[in-house]
Amino acid sequence: MDLPLSIGQPQRQASAWRLPRGQPRRGQRQGQARPPIENIKQGVNPRIAAYEERAATVQAEREKASLGSFQSLLDAYVAHRKAKGKPSARDVEATFKRYVLKPWPELGPLPARAITPEMIRDVLARMIKAGIGRQTNIVRAYLHAAFVHGAHSDLDPRRAANQGSTFRLAGNPVHLVPRIVDFENARDRVLSDDELLHL
């Protein structure tokens, strides 16, 4: 049986072999973006590039999850003082809860390295607005010592051996916040940062 042959309509016959617009090509999933032509021109395998991008994202998430929080930084400092038998350890813990963590609950979960001098300033400013004088300098001194301890603990080989979270501090945000000299006097003064570390 002879099949009918249409003559004079080559465009219609050619279109029969084309995929409908929006339909994925063979080997391409629905909704999957086509690989950038620039990567192909530069000899970059799109699959390898996508794998490396996903691996970098996963690694970044792991590093973020392993960063010690501000809460854990303060807890580590309190635990350090308790381990050394310092009588003031409980006072330090209560001070952090009363003047830092309770009034500013959003700070606790943040990575310790994300704490800025402005945040420390606001913590102390709130105390001053409430009419708290000398205790403001005490809180500042404790916070300063906590960040110093956090920086030192990151370099402790014992901590590295336990594969615990690290703070990866780039600096001490409390250092830039000045001590309020007006809140101190000759008989009743707050210990300096260096003096506090040697207690």
Side-chain angles (χ1 to χ4, degrees):
M1 179 178 179
D2 295 335
L3 296 175
L5 180 62
S6 58
I7 301 176
Q9 295 180 341
Q11 293 182 351
R12 181 175 297 179
Q13 289 182 352
S15 64
W17 295 96
R18 296 176 184 168
L19 288 173
R21 180 168 298 181
Q23 183 173 341
R25 296 179 179 274
R26 184 177 181 181
Q28 181 180 357
R29 297 178 181 176
Q30 183 71 31
Q32 182 180 11
R34 297 181 62 185
I37 192 65
E38 291 301 323
N39 285 346
I40 298 176
K41 288 181 178 179
Q42 295 175 7
V44 178
N45 188 319
R47 291 184 180 179
I48 295 178
Y51 171 79
E52 291 177 346
E53 183 178 351
R54 287 194 301 270
T57 301
V58 170
Q59 181 64 23
E61 290 296 328
R62 286 178 180 172
E63 290 182 359
K64 182 178 179 182
S66 67
L67 285 177
S69 67
F70 181 50
Q71 169 87 57
S72 62
L73 175 83
L74 301 184
D75 291 344
Y77 177 61
V78 172
H80 169 71
R81 294 184 70 84
K82 287 181 178 179
K84 289 206 166 190
K86 302 296 183 182
S88 61
R90 292 186 180 277
D91 292 336
V92 174
E93 185 176 21
T95 297
F96 284 154
K97 288 180 179 179
R98 180 176 181 181
Y99 297 110
V100 182
L101 297 175
K102 188 175 180 180
W104 304 89
E106 67 276 12
L107 296 183
L110 291 178
R113 66 174 301 169
I115 300 299
T116 65
E118 290 78 13
M119 293 175 182
I120 301 298
R121 174 203 63 196
D122 292 345
V123 168
L124 302 180
R126 184 182 186 277
M127 296 177 64
I128 294 174
K129 286 181 181 179
I132 302 171
R134 176 177 175 271
Q135 189 69 21
T136 301
N137 280 346
I138 294 177
V139 171
R140 180 198 172 278
Y142 286 159
L143 288 172
H144 188 280
F147 275 97
V148 170
H149 173 72
H152 289 172
S153 67
D154 276 353
L155 301 177
D156 190 334
R158 293 168 297 181
R159 187 185 184 97
N162 294 329
Q163 296 182 348
S165 60
T166 57
F167 301 113
R168 299 179 67 181
L169 301 173
N172 191 330
V174 188
H175 183 71
L176 296 177
V177 181
R179 183 188 295 108
I180 310 299
V181 182
D182 295 345
F183 295 156
E184 302 173 11
N185 56 52
R187 293 185 178 181
D188 187 16
R189 73 176 184 86
V190 177
L191 296 178
S192 68
D193 299 327
D194 292 334
E195 290 172 333
L196 188 61
L197 289 175
H198 288 87
L199 285 180

